[in-house]
Amino acid sequence: ASQSADPFGPDPGTAELNDLKLLAHVAGLGDVTVGSNAWIAGPSAPARIEGIRLDWPNKPQDLTLQYAVRFARPQRGDNQLVPLGTFAGTRGRALAITGFSLEASGPGADRYAISAETIFLGAPALRVTGNRIVVSGPSGREPLVGLKLNLEEHRAQSAPLAPMQPRQTEPANAFPRLE
């Protein structure tokens, strides 16, 4: 096992970021689970999404993800942030999600960006990226019929180095000058 100089532990590799799982309760299909950067319902098979759960078994310790869903009519648990592994929404009640929010917090949050692509019924696809995302259809009442989530790691970028200027050097005299 290799040691890392990072005080927050080893940098998550692509494999760990891809461990993010999205479970959604989809009308007519039941619970469907996909990995990072894959559609639930979506452009090729839009269907009403009624609830979601996010799981990330290898999540870095210094990062917290919370999410919430919203419905057209207020429901218990509406728009309340829940932690990873918690189901937000309904099953078997034919209540489609009409809004979704997801936020990253904690000391490591600045190293990541959440990327979400959403489709709400009758509206064009929408892609948003950031540490906190909030999405809904144009009126706020359109059902969510497609969702794709991804977590991207920001690569640390050091400040660009200033170009080096040629240094003026005085010629070294091979023989000392006598005065």
Side-chain angles (χ1 to χ4, degrees), residues 100-102 113-118 120 125-136 147-152:
F100 172 71
S101 61
L102 175 61
I114 301 162
S115 169
E117 290 183 60
T118 58
F120 289 89
L126 174 68
R127 184 177 195 275
V128 291
T129 303
N131 277 16
R132 183 173 192 273
I133 60 166
V134 178
V135 292
S136 65
L147 177 61
K148 178 165 68 166
L149 293 177
N150 194 25
L151 197 65
E152 301 164 352

Side-chain angles (χ1 to χ4, degrees), residues 3-177:
Q3 295 280 331
S4 172
D6 183 351
F8 298 112
D11 288 341
T14 305
E16 287 181 17
L17 290 175
N18 290 338
D19 282 348
L20 182 68
K21 299 285 184 235
L22 169 63
L23 173 141
H25 187 77
V26 180
L29 297 175
D31 288 354
V32 177
T33 303
V34 297
S36 184
N37 213 24
W39 282 103
I40 290 273
S44 62
R48 294 171 194 264
I49 299 172
E50 299 175 353
I52 61 167
R53 184 183 78 211
L54 292 175
D55 293 301
W56 190 7
N58 295 319
K59 178 189 73 64
Q61 295 294 321
D62 63 344
L63 178 68
T64 301
L65 290 180
Q66 294 182 305
Y67 49 97
V69 298
R70 193 172 62 245
F71 299 97
R73 281 178 269 134
Q75 303 292 316
R76 189 169 64 85
D78 203 20
N79 227 15
Q80 291 181 356
L81 289 172
V82 297
L84 285 174
T86 304
F87 185 81
T90 64
R91 286 185 173 104
R93 294 183 50 205
L95 291 173
I97 293 171
T98 58
F100 172 71
S101 61
L102 175 61
E103 66 180 43
S105 61
D110 288 341
R111 293 195 323 256
Y112 304 94
I114 301 162
S115 169
E117 290 183 60
T118 58
I119 300 174
F120 289 89
L121 189 65
L126 174 68
R127 184 177 195 275
V128 291
T129 303
N131 277 16
R132 183 173 192 273
I133 60 166
V134 178
V135 292
S136 65
S139 75
R141 300 183 66 79
E142 295 83 3
L144 179 64
V145 294
L147 177 61
K148 178 165 68 166
L149 293 177
N150 194 25
L151 197 65
E152 301 164 352
E153 185 176 10
H154 291 298
R155 293 288 171 201
Q157 294 183 353
S158 56
L161 295 174
M164 294 207 39
Q165 297 296 323
R167 293 190 317 190
Q168 289 286 7
T169 57
E170 300 208 13
N173 289 335
F175 300 102
R177 239 180 5 190

